[in-house]
């Protein structure tokens, strides 16, 4: 079952169970997926759907920090609940050791030598690790690998 189909099935289940918070988060996700499909005139595959989910999770995390800074714990809790619901659709994250091994393998594969090769290296790593690892962390590891 594709990720989009799973999301739709979960939305139906949330409707039947009258889970308002879950239903709201899933509807938001469905709207974001449909918007992306309409904008780009394509049918999104699982990787693209995962990218949409990651974007929504990142937005929620930013909102949580702003709400907590403004002493609005009630709103922060709502955002955290949405993060939990949305995160369930993301693939399992790789450990830092697995990410480091993937970076080392990509360096060996591309023959990257210095910082000028970072773009080439990230081009190889992004399709492999998108959704499975924090790309900011991957970027730091790549910079460290190319610096030393």
């Amino acid at each position: 079952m594709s990720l989009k189909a799973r999301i739709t099935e979960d939305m139906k289940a949330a409707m039947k169970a009258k889970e308002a918070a879950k239903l709201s988060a899933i509807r938001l996700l469905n709207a974001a997926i449909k918007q992306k499909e309409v904008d780009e005139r394509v049918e999104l595959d699982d990787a693209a759907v995962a990218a949409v989910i990651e974007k929504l999770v990142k937005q929620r995390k930013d909102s949580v920090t702003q709400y907590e800074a403004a002493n609005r714990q009630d709103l922060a809790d709502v955002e955290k609940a949405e993060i939990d619901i949305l995160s369930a659709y993301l693939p399992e994250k790789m450990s830092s050791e697995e990410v480091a091994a993937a970076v080392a393998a990509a360096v060996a594969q591309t023959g990257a030598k210095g910082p000028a090769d970072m773009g080439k290296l990230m081009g190889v790593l992004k399709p492999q690790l998108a959704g499975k690892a924090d790309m900011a962390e991957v970027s730091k590891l790549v910079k460290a690998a190319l610096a030393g």
Side-chain angles (χ1 to χ4, degrees):
M1 174 184 291
S2 76
L3 191 53
K4 265 177 39 178
R6 191 173 126 214
I7 291 167
T8 303
E9 289 303 313
D10 286 354
M11 185 173 72
K12 290 175 187 173
M15 276 185 213
K16 288 178 183 170
K18 296 187 179 7
E19 297 172 323
K22 186 173 184 178
L23 181 59
S24 173
I26 293 174
R27 280 185 169 154
L28 239 160
L29 172 57
N30 256 339
I33 291 169
K34 291 216 183 332
Q35 182 66 48
K36 184 119 174 127
E37 287 180 337
V38 167
D39 288 349
E40 297 180 9
R41 293 187 173 99
V42 293
E43 182 82 17
L44 297 183
D45 61 352
D46 283 356
V49 171
V52 169
I53 296 169
E54 281 181 357
K55 182 179 176 186
L56 290 175
V57 168
K58 184 176 185 301
Q59 288 173 346
R60 301 291 168 295
K61 286 180 180 175
D62 291 344
S63 296
V64 166
T65 56
Q66 290 182 4
Y67 286 144
E68 287 176 344
N71 292 325
R72 290 298 308 264
Q73 195 57 43
D74 55 331
L75 295 174
D77 291 341
V78 170
E79 296 292 322
K80 287 178 184 175
E82 286 186 5
I83 290 171
D84 292 340
I85 293 166
L86 294 173
S87 296
Y89 297 108
L90 290 172
E92 197 171 307
K93 295 290 182 191
M94 295 172 70
S95 70
S96 52
E97 294 82 20
E98 290 173 317
V99 174
V103 169
V107 168
Q109 175 189 342
T110 60
K113 303 244 186 293
D117 294 328
M118 184 164 175
K120 179 169 49 169
L121 205 52
M122 288 302 287
V124 169
L125 287 169
K126 188 163 178 133
Q128 292 175 6
L129 304 180
K132 298 177 190 163
D134 179 9
M135 293 312 286
E137 280 300 312
V138 173
S139 179
K140 287 179 189 171
L141 287 170
V142 167
K143 284 179 186 170
L146 292 178

